[in-house]
């Protein structure tokens, strides 16, 4: 690695971690309706939204009402987006006269954006009109992370409150998350990106004559705003087909750094918001430490693996500074590896290199990150609530060993909570293992796999992992746009989203109703190095035990073949 | 905690030695193979189903798997189930042996049931709640009940192991009787309070019998987690075949069956029931009957213990702890006067004075006949003796002053100061007078039981606060509280005050344990999360509480807390161990499984196991044997040291977490070497 690579990694950590305590506190205050910097500006707008929609912002919902509101909102979003994609041919803002999408693709894409996955079985500039991008997808890019954030605060309230039925109001949480959280940050990032040269226009694609005299159509569009939210909202659905490897999406080194940091900005800050909810920032520091440990391990392994020369070329008389196949020379090995680890730690589907071309181990890390359920920072809200589930599992597994009924922050974990926890534990194995087993054993769907043997298996495994984990990044090389995969990956995405959300809201409701036992030296310690170690090992153990056999048949076998 | 626990001296201590238990347990291990019984342990049911499948597969030749190997795998799968059953049977055996010996007495017992004005002989087993029976001297009481008429001495040795008979009478706090205890004098009219199957004895048996036992809340939660883990591993194993086929291979079903069983948490799944039964059995051996396992588990979670001062923290009688001379009195004279004034006093206080003086120095005791004892009378409020023409008296300060015709101001100043000091320190001052002269004062005080202070300190380390409940005035109460080292005190306690305190603690999210015996304790016992009633207390208290101590020893509450904690720690430790074991098993089985598809995965064979066959067999053998190896730990329970949660966690994580990861690497390798040496693979 060279000096600028270290500089990039250092700058990245500073940009992510330095604002986190401040931003976390701001988000907490904003979500709880307390006064913030932006309140004078945004509160009239917020109130207007409630008046328009007839929402009583003081009315608390119990978990079932909260979940019903969320389901209703998601269903409405899904149907609207599905309709827009089917009918884009007759809708406005379609200068290229693009036709409506085939129905399984429209379903897959609608599910993908509503669940904050942003899996793209289509190529943006070739298939979607400006209307579909700006009205259909961009709206979901905002509200789907806002939903994640809403669930996180509802869950945090469940842990923090005692003997309470309510866990907040979904409509209020959704509104505040969008208005106070995502909009202002996106505005800033979009302007920065425009400054760096990302296009932001509703004009037709540009026509150019090349030096050789050929005609070339250069796709344009309202890209900067879309890219800002795709990064900040851990979405990842690129404006252009090759995503952040495209020079219009990611024109400079600075834009690359900004886009990278934007992915983890909110997820890192939310860890501190949680600490404010439970009035104990030590909890935040412990969770953050665990996330950082897992992140640094993954990054270290990937950087090492990608700096190895490509073994397939080892016999040839060429000097290799690392494996450059599938990587943008503008970003190099470090910039690509950092991007891959960051996006898969979070639930961001954007790519600036082809993960398919990574070395076997370099490709294993992103896959394993996703298999853990994307809890290393993770998606907006979703990452931390996934992490909190692991915290509860660690507490339950080891909690008995101090001679008390397991308790997290004074809340007892009993049969009901464990049942719900187990339900969430089953999501990844069902989505990843069962669905990809289905995909590889049927001859038709298996034909989408473009490589033989272990690498081919990795392609399918990656696709279903990405879908279930609501990540959206693709391994490339996997022909995902077939009716079978469109439907099955759509199912995986729905499972990965609601298989977590519904049990989590139920746990939130059940914890909120409980009494809170006093915390002292004899409560289970959920901060400090001991707990950080326990939590880290629990995550690795659960992920490892579930996926080691599958990984052995994919990237491990591929790696060990050389 | 190492405070003394009373060892039951029961006449019929059942044989609990291993030799007496293992044979029936072995037989039971086979009986328990019945899937209807096994479904209470879902993980083991999965193992049994897998064993059945594997047995069938032994007759279906598969490529790459010799019949010999298949048979061995099937056998070890059956052993896994049998070992788990054996553990449960062994745990049951100990408790059952005791229960059976108690129950033996009640076979064919008849009772005289009151019908109208008549009495009619019926079998004890036909008695229902509300029936009234008459029990004469020499007969066994046919069931749990309450004395409604009569007074009698009852020998409760069969239940409590205490051979001295106790008095049972109607009304008051000593009206409850227990079935199978013997009336040794007079007669009683007893109203039965338990239907058949609900008596103390039945409850005791139900707690230690696997098939009838109710699972405790934590056990239920743990069971769900274990089922969840099993399900995950089922998915992992089931999807391996399509994955392998995609890679152009085919995995033998027998191997997959073996992988499934090694991965699912069989260690804890097989021992969970034994742990629960053994925990209850430890309670039974402490002579504490739990009405439900829930209360025992709650005892491990308790934050606050409400303890009665008398009988729990102190011996219950005030005892002489010092003598104070009046000015100008010789020490010997004071000692002599105090001795003579107490010789004829049969109260505990009087005896304690004599004991105290004897322990101090050998004193000549005049012959008892020569002494004319003056018993305490309500009129004079003095006791003492006349001897050799001299008269000695002792009593409360004002009573003695009145006897001497002295005013409080007339008392020598030095003595008056000492007397005030005794009162302030929570003690009771008595004055000693002889020959119309004031000799000095006796310092009587409540004596705190030895070792109790240390025990409270241990509890504090485990995060449990102790609150002393006493009827004493706040001054006295505070003095004893300081000496005993309790955290808080409720002075001038009334049952309402107690109840109030429990409610306010619970409102803060705390769990409260208390013990009590009187009828007026019943509401507080019912309100407390853990209520321990004394067996010789009232029926109301026994019904309100969720634990009954047969020895009527309130300090048992501390033991119950200990057992509750051990129960939880043992489950947690074995769960962690069981899950941690899987890491090594993967490293044994995965390379073996995929050897035919991707030979390069042999790199994962870090244990350098001999062959794929020996690797798989070693893993399955280890998986079965580890259950046997851990049976003693499951039955004994993991000890809980007095320490804060972080150090307990660190210690147990190191032993059972890290140990759980490392142990199978060593174990599987050893078994592999052994199997190869013996030539089984």
């Amino acid at each position: 690695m060279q000096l600028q690579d270290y500089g990039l990694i250092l700058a990245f950590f500073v940009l992510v971690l330095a604002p986190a305590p401040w931003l976390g506190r701001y988000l907490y205050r904003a979500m709880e309706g307390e006064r913030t910097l932006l309140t004078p500006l945004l509160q009239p707008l917020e109130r207007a939204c409630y008046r328009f929609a007839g929402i009583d912002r003081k009315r608390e919902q119990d978990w079932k009402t909260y979940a019903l509101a969320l389901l209703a909102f998601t269903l409405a979003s899904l149907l609207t987006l599905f309709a827009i994609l089917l009918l884009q041919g007759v809708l406005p803002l379609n200068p290229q006269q693009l036709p409506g999408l085939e129905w399984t693709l429209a379903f897959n894409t609608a599910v993908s954006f509503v669940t904050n996955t942003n899996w793209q079985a289509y190529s943006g500039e070739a298939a979607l009109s400006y209307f579909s991008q700006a009205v259909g997808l961009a709206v979901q890019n905002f509200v789907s992370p806002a939903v994640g954030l809403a669930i996180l605060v509802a869950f945090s309230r469940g842990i923090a409150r005692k003997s309470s039925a309510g866990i907040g109001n979904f409509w209020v949480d959704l509104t505040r998350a969008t208005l106070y959280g995502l909009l202002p940050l996106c505005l800033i990032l979009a302007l920065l990106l425009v400054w760096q040269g990302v296009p932001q226009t509703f004009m037709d694609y540009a026509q150019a004559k090349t030096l050789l005299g050929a005609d070339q159509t250069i796709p344009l569009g309202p890209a900067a705003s879309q890219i800002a939210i795709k990064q900040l909202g851990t979405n990842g659905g690129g404006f252009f087909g090759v995503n952040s490897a495209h020079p219009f999406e990611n024109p400079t080194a600075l834009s690359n750094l900004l886009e990278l940091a934007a992915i983890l900005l909110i997820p890192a800050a939310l860890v501190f918001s949680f600490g404010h909810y439970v009035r104990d920032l030590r909890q935040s520091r412990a969770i953050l430490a665990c996330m950082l440990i897992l992140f640094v391990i993954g990054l270290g392994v990937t950087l090492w693996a990608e700096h190895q020369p490509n073994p397939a070329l080892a016999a040839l008389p060429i000097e290799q500074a690392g494996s450059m196949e599938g990587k943008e020379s503008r970003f190099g090995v470090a910039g690509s590896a950092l991007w891959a680890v960051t996006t898969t730690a979070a639930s961001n589907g954007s790519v600036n290199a082809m993960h398919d071309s990574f070395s076997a181990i370099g490709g294993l890390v992103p896959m394993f990150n996703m298999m853990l359920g994307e809890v290393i920072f993770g998606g907006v809200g979703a990452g931390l609530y996934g992490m909190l589930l692991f915290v509860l599992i660690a507490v339950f597994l080891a909690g008995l060993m101090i001679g008390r009924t397991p308790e997290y922050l004074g809340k007892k974990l009993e049969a009901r909570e464990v049942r719900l926890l187990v339900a969430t534990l089953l999501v990844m194995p069902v989505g990843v293992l069962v669905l990809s087993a289905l995909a590889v054993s049927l001859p038709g769907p298996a034909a989408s796999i473009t490589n033989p043997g272990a690498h081919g298996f990795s392609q399918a495994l990656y696709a279903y992992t990405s879908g279930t984990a609501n990540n959206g990044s693709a391994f490339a090389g996997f022909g995902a746009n077939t009716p079978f995969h469109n439907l099955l990956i759509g199912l995986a995405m729905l499972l990965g989203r609601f298989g977590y959300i519904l049990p989590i809201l139920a746990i939130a409701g059940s914890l909120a109703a409980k009494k809170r036992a006093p915390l002292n030296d004899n409560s289970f310690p959920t901060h400090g190095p001991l707990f950080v170690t326990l939590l880290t090992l629990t995550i690795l153990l659960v992920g490892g035990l579930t996926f080691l056999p599958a990984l052995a048949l994919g990237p491990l076998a591929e790696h060990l073949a050389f | 905690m190492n405070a003394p626990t009373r060892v039951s001296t029961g006449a019929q201590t059942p044989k609990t030695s291993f030799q007496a238990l293992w044979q029936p347990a072995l037989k039971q291990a086979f009986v328990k193979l019945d899937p209807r019984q096994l479904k209470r342990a879902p993980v083991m049911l999965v193992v049994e189903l897998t064993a059945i499948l594997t047995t069938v597969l032994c007759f279906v030749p598969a490529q790459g798997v010799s019949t010999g190997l298949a048979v061995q795998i099937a056998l070890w799968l059956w052993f896994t189930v049998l070992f788990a059953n054996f553990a449960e049977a062994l745990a049951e055996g100990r408790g059952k042996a005791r229960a059976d010996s108690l129950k033996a007495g009640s076979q064919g017992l008849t009772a005289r049931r009151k019908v109208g004005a008549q009495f009619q002989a019926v079998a004890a087993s036909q008695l229902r709640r509300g029936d009234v029976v008459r029990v004469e001297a020499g007969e066994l009481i046919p069931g749990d009940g309450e004395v409604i008429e009569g007074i009698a001495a009852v020998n409760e040795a069969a239940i409590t192991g205490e051979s001295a008979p106790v008095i049972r009478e109607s009304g008051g706090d000593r009206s409850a009787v227990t079935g199978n205890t013997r009336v040794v004098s007079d007669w009683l009219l007893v109203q039965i309070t338990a239907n058949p199957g609900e008596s103390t004895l039945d409850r005791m048996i139900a707690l230690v019998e696997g098939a009838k036992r109710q699972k405790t809340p934590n056990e239920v939660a743990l069971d769900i987690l274990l089922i969840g883990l099993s399900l995950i591993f089922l998915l992992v194993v089931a999807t391996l075949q399509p994955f392998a086929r995609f890679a152009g291979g085919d995995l033998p079903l027998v191997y997959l069956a073996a992988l499934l069983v090694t991965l699912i948490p069989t260690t804890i799944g097989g021992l969970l029931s034994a742990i629960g039964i053994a925990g209850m059995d430890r309670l039974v051996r402490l002579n504490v009957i739990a009405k439900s396992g829930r209360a025992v588990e709650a005892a491990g979670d308790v934050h606050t213990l409400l303890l009665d001062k008398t009988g729990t923290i102190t011996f219950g009688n005030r005892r002489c702890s010092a003598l104070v001379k009046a000015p100008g009195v010789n020490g010997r004279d004071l000692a002599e006067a105090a001795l003579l004034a107490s010789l004829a006093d049969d109260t505990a206080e009087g005896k304690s004075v004599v004991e105290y003086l004897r322990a101090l120095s050998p004193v000549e005791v005049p012959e008892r006949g020569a002494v004319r004892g003056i018993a305490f009378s309500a009129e004079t409020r003095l006791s003492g003796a006349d001897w050799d023409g001299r008269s000695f008296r002792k009593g409360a300060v004002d009573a003695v002053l009145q006897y001497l015709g002295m005013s409080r101001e007339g008392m020598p100043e030095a003595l008056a100061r000492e007397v005030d000091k005794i009162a302030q320190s929570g003690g009771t001052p008595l004055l000693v007078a002889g020959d119309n002269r004031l000799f000095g004062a006796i310092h009587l005080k409540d004596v705190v039981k030895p070792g109790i202070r240390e025990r409270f300190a241990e509890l504090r380390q485990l995060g449990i606060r102790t609150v002393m409940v006493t009827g004493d005035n706040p001054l006295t109460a505070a003095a004893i509280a300081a000496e005993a080292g309790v955290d808080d005190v409720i002075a001038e306690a009334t049952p309402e005050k107690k109840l109030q305190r429990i409610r306010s603690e619970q409102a803060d999210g705390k769990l409260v344990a208390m013990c009590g015996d009187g009828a007026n304790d019943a509401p507080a016992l019912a309100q407390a999360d853990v209520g321990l009633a004394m067996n010789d207390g009232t029926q109301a208290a026994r019904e309100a509480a969720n634990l009954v101590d047969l020895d009527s020893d309130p300090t048992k509450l501390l033991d119950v807390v200990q057992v509750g904690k051990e129960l939880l720690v043992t489950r947690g430790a074995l769960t962690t161990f069981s899950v941690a074991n899987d890491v090594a098993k993967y490293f044994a089985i995965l390379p073996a499984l995929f050897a035919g598809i991707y030979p390069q995965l042999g790199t994962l064979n870090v244990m350098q196991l001999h062959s794929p066959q020996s690797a798989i067999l070693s893993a399955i053998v280890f998986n079965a044997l580890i259950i046997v190896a851990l049976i003693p730990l499951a039955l004994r329970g993991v000890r809980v040291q007095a320490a804060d949660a972080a150090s307990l966690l660190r210690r147990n994580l190191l032993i059972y977490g890290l140990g759980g990861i490392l142990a199978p690497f060593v174990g599987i390798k050893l078994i592999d070497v052994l199997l190869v040496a013996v030539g089984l693979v």
Side-chain angles (χ1 to χ4, degrees), chain B residues 574-590:
Chain B
L574 291 186
T575 307
T576 310
F577 186 83
S578 196
V579 176
N581 269 200
D582 282 358
V583 177
K585 293 173 186 165
Y586 262 143
F587 280 98
I589 295 191
L590 284 188

PDB file of all heavy atoms in Angstrom, chain B residues 574-590:
ATOM      1  N   LEU B 574     -23.236 -24.693  30.350  1.00  0.00           N
ATOM      2  CA  LEU B 574     -23.273 -25.820  29.409  1.00  0.00           C
ATOM      3  C   LEU B 574     -23.792 -25.401  28.038  1.00  0.00           C
ATOM      4  O   LEU B 574     -23.399 -25.972  27.017  1.00  0.00           O
ATOM      5  CB  LEU B 574     -24.108 -26.967  29.987  1.00  0.00           C
ATOM      6  CG  LEU B 574     -23.451 -27.650  31.193  1.00  0.00           C
ATOM      7  CD1 LEU B 574     -24.249 -28.853  31.634  1.00  0.00           C
ATOM      8  CD2 LEU B 574     -22.026 -28.062  30.879  1.00  0.00           C
ATOM      9  N   THR B 575     -24.662 -24.391  27.998  1.00  0.00           N
ATOM     10  CA  THR B 575     -25.118 -23.888  26.697  1.00  0.00           C
ATOM     11  C   THR B 575     -23.933 -23.297  25.941  1.00  0.00           C
ATOM     12  O   THR B 575     -23.704 -23.604  24.757  1.00  0.00           O
ATOM     13  CB  THR B 575     -26.189 -22.801  26.878  1.00  0.00           C
ATOM     14  OG1 THR B 575     -27.221 -23.315  27.708  1.00  0.00           O
ATOM     15  CG2 THR B 575     -26.773 -22.389  25.547  1.00  0.00           C
ATOM     16  N   THR B 576     -23.183 -22.436  26.635  1.00  0.00           N
ATOM     17  CA  THR B 576     -22.024 -21.818  26.005  1.00  0.00           C
ATOM     18  C   THR B 576     -21.047 -22.881  25.530  1.00  0.00           C
ATOM     19  O   THR B 576     -20.552 -22.834  24.400  1.00  0.00           O
ATOM     20  CB  THR B 576     -21.323 -20.903  27.021  1.00  0.00           C
ATOM     21  OG1 THR B 576     -22.311 -20.056  27.604  1.00  0.00           O
ATOM     22  CG2 THR B 576     -20.267 -20.054  26.358  1.00  0.00           C
ATOM     23  N   PHE B 577     -20.786 -23.851  26.402  1.00  0.00           N
ATOM     24  CA  PHE B 577     -19.860 -24.934  26.067  1.00  0.00           C
ATOM     25  C   PHE B 577     -20.338 -25.668  24.815  1.00  0.00           C
ATOM     26  O   PHE B 577     -19.570 -25.930  23.890  1.00  0.00           O
ATOM     27  CB  PHE B 577     -19.772 -25.892  27.257  1.00  0.00           C
ATOM     28  CG  PHE B 577     -18.740 -26.972  27.098  1.00  0.00           C
ATOM     29  CD1 PHE B 577     -17.412 -26.720  27.399  1.00  0.00           C
ATOM     30  CD2 PHE B 577     -19.096 -28.230  26.659  1.00  0.00           C
ATOM     31  CE1 PHE B 577     -16.459 -27.708  27.259  1.00  0.00           C
ATOM     32  CE2 PHE B 577     -18.151 -29.219  26.512  1.00  0.00           C
ATOM     33  CZ  PHE B 577     -16.826 -28.958  26.813  1.00  0.00           C
ATOM     34  N   SER B 578     -21.614 -25.983  24.801  1.00  0.00           N
ATOM     35  CA  SER B 578     -22.189 -26.759  23.710  1.00  0.00           C
ATOM     36  C   SER B 578     -22.042 -26.038  22.376  1.00  0.00           C
ATOM     37  O   SER B 578     -21.636 -26.626  21.371  1.00  0.00           O
ATOM     38  CB  SER B 578     -23.670 -26.995  24.029  1.00  0.00           C
ATOM     39  OG  SER B 578     -24.215 -27.998  23.246  1.00  0.00           O
ATOM     40  N   VAL B 579     -22.357 -24.743  22.362  1.00  0.00           N
ATOM     41  CA  VAL B 579     -22.281 -23.994  21.111  1.00  0.00           C
ATOM     42  C   VAL B 579     -20.822 -23.825  20.679  1.00  0.00           C
ATOM     43  O   VAL B 579     -20.488 -23.967  19.502  1.00  0.00           O
ATOM     44  CB  VAL B 579     -22.985 -22.629  21.255  1.00  0.00           C
ATOM     45  CG1 VAL B 579     -22.818 -21.810  19.988  1.00  0.00           C
ATOM     46  CG2 VAL B 579     -24.468 -22.817  21.556  1.00  0.00           C
ATOM     47  N   ALA B 580     -19.950 -23.573  21.660  1.00  0.00           N
ATOM     48  CA  ALA B 580     -18.531 -23.349  21.342  1.00  0.00           C
ATOM     49  C   ALA B 580     -17.898 -24.607  20.741  1.00  0.00           C
ATOM     50  O   ALA B 580     -16.985 -24.526  19.915  1.00  0.00           O
ATOM     51  CB  ALA B 580     -17.773 -22.908  22.584  1.00  0.00           C
ATOM     52  N   ASN B 581     -18.394 -25.765  21.151  1.00  0.00           N
ATOM     53  CA  ASN B 581     -17.895 -27.041  20.630  1.00  0.00           C
ATOM     54  C   ASN B 581     -17.979 -27.161  19.115  1.00  0.00           C
ATOM     55  O   ASN B 581     -17.184 -27.852  18.486  1.00  0.00           O
ATOM     56  CB  ASN B 581     -18.731 -28.191  21.215  1.00  0.00           C
ATOM     57  CG  ASN B 581     -18.148 -28.728  22.511  1.00  0.00           C
ATOM     58  OD1 ASN B 581     -18.437 -29.824  22.916  1.00  0.00           O
ATOM     59  ND2 ASN B 581     -17.314 -27.941  23.156  1.00  0.00           N
ATOM     60  N   ASP B 582     -18.976 -26.486  18.528  1.00  0.00           N
ATOM     61  CA  ASP B 582     -19.241 -26.674  17.105  1.00  0.00           C
ATOM     62  C   ASP B 582     -18.081 -26.262  16.209  1.00  0.00           C
ATOM     63  O   ASP B 582     -17.941 -26.772  15.109  1.00  0.00           O
ATOM     64  CB  ASP B 582     -20.503 -25.901  16.705  1.00  0.00           C
ATOM     65  CG  ASP B 582     -21.765 -26.649  17.123  1.00  0.00           C
ATOM     66  OD1 ASP B 582     -21.616 -27.761  17.674  1.00  0.00           O
ATOM     67  OD2 ASP B 582     -22.865 -26.133  16.917  1.00  0.00           O
ATOM     68  N   VAL B 583     -17.290 -25.309  16.694  1.00  0.00           N
ATOM     69  CA  VAL B 583     -16.184 -24.831  15.861  1.00  0.00           C
ATOM     70  C   VAL B 583     -15.274 -26.003  15.476  1.00  0.00           C
ATOM     71  O   VAL B 583     -15.002 -26.249  14.302  1.00  0.00           O
ATOM     72  CB  VAL B 583     -15.377 -23.758  16.613  1.00  0.00           C
ATOM     73  CG1 VAL B 583     -14.192 -23.305  15.777  1.00  0.00           C
ATOM     74  CG2 VAL B 583     -16.266 -22.557  16.943  1.00  0.00           C
ATOM     75  N   ALA B 584     -14.835 -26.746  16.495  1.00  0.00           N
ATOM     76  CA  ALA B 584     -13.923 -27.860  16.232  1.00  0.00           C
ATOM     77  C   ALA B 584     -14.583 -28.928  15.372  1.00  0.00           C
ATOM     78  O   ALA B 584     -13.942 -29.534  14.510  1.00  0.00           O
ATOM     79  CB  ALA B 584     -13.460 -28.464  17.551  1.00  0.00           C
ATOM     80  N   LYS B 585     -15.893 -29.147  15.627  1.00  0.00           N
ATOM     81  CA  LYS B 585     -16.568 -30.200  14.864  1.00  0.00           C
ATOM     82  C   LYS B 585     -16.596 -29.872  13.376  1.00  0.00           C
ATOM     83  O   LYS B 585     -16.470 -30.755  12.530  1.00  0.00           O
ATOM     84  CB  LYS B 585     -17.987 -30.392  15.402  1.00  0.00           C
ATOM     85  CG  LYS B 585     -17.984 -30.963  16.822  1.00  0.00           C
ATOM     86  CD  LYS B 585     -19.382 -30.987  17.390  1.00  0.00           C
ATOM     87  CE  LYS B 585     -19.370 -31.404  18.839  1.00  0.00           C
ATOM     88  NZ  LYS B 585     -20.653 -31.087  19.480  1.00  0.00           N
ATOM     89  N   TYR B 586     -16.768 -28.581  13.060  1.00  0.00           N
ATOM     90  CA  TYR B 586     -16.716 -28.187  11.654  1.00  0.00           C
ATOM     91  C   TYR B 586     -15.363 -28.540  11.050  1.00  0.00           C
ATOM     92  O   TYR B 586     -15.264 -29.057   9.943  1.00  0.00           O
ATOM     93  CB  TYR B 586     -16.937 -26.683  11.508  1.00  0.00           C
ATOM     94  CG  TYR B 586     -18.360 -26.300  11.158  1.00  0.00           C
ATOM     95  CD1 TYR B 586     -18.949 -25.166  11.692  1.00  0.00           C
ATOM     96  CD2 TYR B 586     -19.112 -27.067  10.267  1.00  0.00           C
ATOM     97  CE1 TYR B 586     -20.249 -24.807  11.373  1.00  0.00           C
ATOM     98  CE2 TYR B 586     -20.407 -26.718   9.941  1.00  0.00           C
ATOM     99  CZ  TYR B 586     -20.970 -25.582  10.498  1.00  0.00           C
ATOM    100  OH  TYR B 586     -22.238 -25.238  10.179  1.00  0.00           O
ATOM    101  N   PHE B 587     -14.315 -28.208  11.813  1.00  0.00           N
ATOM    102  CA  PHE B 587     -12.977 -28.470  11.282  1.00  0.00           C
ATOM    103  C   PHE B 587     -12.711 -29.965  11.122  1.00  0.00           C
ATOM    104  O   PHE B 587     -11.871 -30.370  10.335  1.00  0.00           O
ATOM    105  CB  PHE B 587     -11.910 -27.811  12.167  1.00  0.00           C
ATOM    106  CG  PHE B 587     -11.750 -26.350  11.893  1.00  0.00           C
ATOM    107  CD1 PHE B 587     -12.370 -25.401  12.681  1.00  0.00           C
ATOM    108  CD2 PHE B 587     -10.993 -25.915  10.812  1.00  0.00           C
ATOM    109  CE1 PHE B 587     -12.251 -24.044  12.413  1.00  0.00           C
ATOM    110  CE2 PHE B 587     -10.862 -24.566  10.527  1.00  0.00           C
ATOM    111  CZ  PHE B 587     -11.496 -23.626  11.338  1.00  0.00           C
ATOM    112  N   ALA B 588     -13.428 -30.776  11.872  1.00  0.00           N
ATOM    113  CA  ALA B 588     -13.269 -32.226  11.705  1.00  0.00           C
ATOM    114  C   ALA B 588     -14.080 -32.722  10.514  1.00  0.00           C
ATOM    115  O   ALA B 588     -13.592 -33.488   9.692  1.00  0.00           O
ATOM    116  CB  ALA B 588     -13.701 -32.936  12.986  1.00  0.00           C
ATOM    117  N   ILE B 589     -15.354 -32.282  10.441  1.00  0.00           N
ATOM    118  CA  ILE B 589     -16.262 -32.918   9.486  1.00  0.00           C
ATOM    119  C   ILE B 589     -16.205 -32.303   8.092  1.00  0.00           C
ATOM    120  O   ILE B 589     -16.254 -33.026   7.089  1.00  0.00           O
ATOM    121  CB  ILE B 589     -17.710 -32.911  10.036  1.00  0.00           C
ATOM    122  CG1 ILE B 589     -17.755 -33.785  11.293  1.00  0.00           C
ATOM    123  CG2 ILE B 589     -18.680 -33.438   9.001  1.00  0.00           C
ATOM    124  CD1 ILE B 589     -19.128 -34.076  11.797  1.00  0.00           C
ATOM    125  N   LEU B 590     -16.110 -30.955   7.999  1.00  0.00           N
ATOM    126  CA  LEU B 590     -16.194 -30.348   6.665  1.00  0.00           C
ATOM    127  C   LEU B 590     -15.140 -30.880   5.685  1.00  0.00           C
ATOM    128  O   LEU B 590     -15.485 -31.277   4.565  1.00  0.00           O
ATOM    129  CB  LEU B 590     -16.126 -28.823   6.760  1.00  0.00           C
ATOM    130  CG  LEU B 590     -17.408 -28.143   7.250  1.00  0.00           C
ATOM    131  CD1 LEU B 590     -17.290 -26.634   7.117  1.00  0.00           C
ATOM    132  CD2 LEU B 590     -18.636 -28.643   6.498  1.00  0.00           C
TER     133      LEU B 590
END
